[in-house]
Amino acid sequence: MIADRIRDGYGEEEKLNCAEKILYASNEVYNLGLDKNALKLAAGFGGGMCTGDLCGAITGSIMVLGTMFVKNNGHESDKIKKLIQELISRYKEEMGYIDCIPLKENHLDEQVKCRNIIVKAAEILDDIIERKAK
């Protein structure tokens, strides 16, 4: 499970941002087959796309859902739309916010920084993937 890895400090030694932690861990856990160049796509999404907007843990999760559940492109069906809507809705319901700045203001832990914020996204992502894989 992605959440377990993040909870254990995955990516902290490598100084991965929130989006990178989700994407890299998912690549390993769910065998996505993403190469180093594909993984670099997450670099600019940490810290709410470097502007404090939509949390990088959510954008990283969206990248994972697209990789796993889109065959050719996003317009081929409404499946990806529904999965993303569920992810964002559940995250907002549980955390109160989806943007980086208010998430940090309300959930940042000085010891583990954004880990708990990222873990919540990973838990929801794991749940969606587990349910859809059945």
Side-chain angles (χ1 to χ4, degrees):
M1 302 287 275
I2 307 161
D4 294 332
R5 290 192 182 202
I6 305 282
R7 200 175 285 111
D8 291 340
Y10 181 89
E12 290 177 17
E13 187 175 312
E14 297 82 5
K15 298 186 184 217
L16 298 178
N17 69 36
C18 44
E20 291 171 324
K21 287 177 183 179
I22 293 283
L23 188 61
Y24 283 50
S26 297
N27 193 43
E28 293 175 13
V29 171
Y30 295 111
N31 300 310
L32 302 180
L34 301 174
D35 66 18
K36 188 174 181 172
N37 279 330
L39 292 169
K40 288 193 298 185
L41 291 170
F45 289 90
M49 294 173 277
C50 305
T51 63
D53 289 324
L54 184 62
C55 174
I58 296 171
T59 55
S61 298
I62 292 168
M63 291 179 211
V64 173
L65 291 173
T67 300
M68 294 184 77
F69 299 107
V70 172
K71 291 180 184 172
N72 296 304
N73 62 63
H75 290 298
E76 67 193 9
S77 79
D78 64 350
K79 183 177 186 174
I80 191 67
K81 179 180 175 181
K82 289 178 182 179
L83 293 174
I84 292 169
Q85 289 171 339
E86 177 186 349
L87 170 77
I88 291 173
S89 174
R90 287 178 59 188
Y91 193 87
K92 187 172 186 176
E93 183 179 310
E94 294 189 37
M95 298 297 280
Y97 309 92
I98 59 171
D99 288 340
C100 183
I101 291 172
L103 282 166
K104 285 182 177 181
E105 288 171 353
N106 290 277
H107 298 286
L108 183 76
D109 180 300
E110 287 303 318
Q111 275 192 317
V112 296
K113 304 297 179 200
C114 289
R115 186 186 304 168
N116 297 329
I117 296 168
I118 302 166
V119 165
K120 180 52 67 183
E123 289 172 345
I124 295 167
L125 179 61
D126 280 329
D127 181 63
I128 291 170
I129 292 169
E130 295 292 316
R131 196 178 70 248
K132 291 297 173 186
K134 290 181 181 179

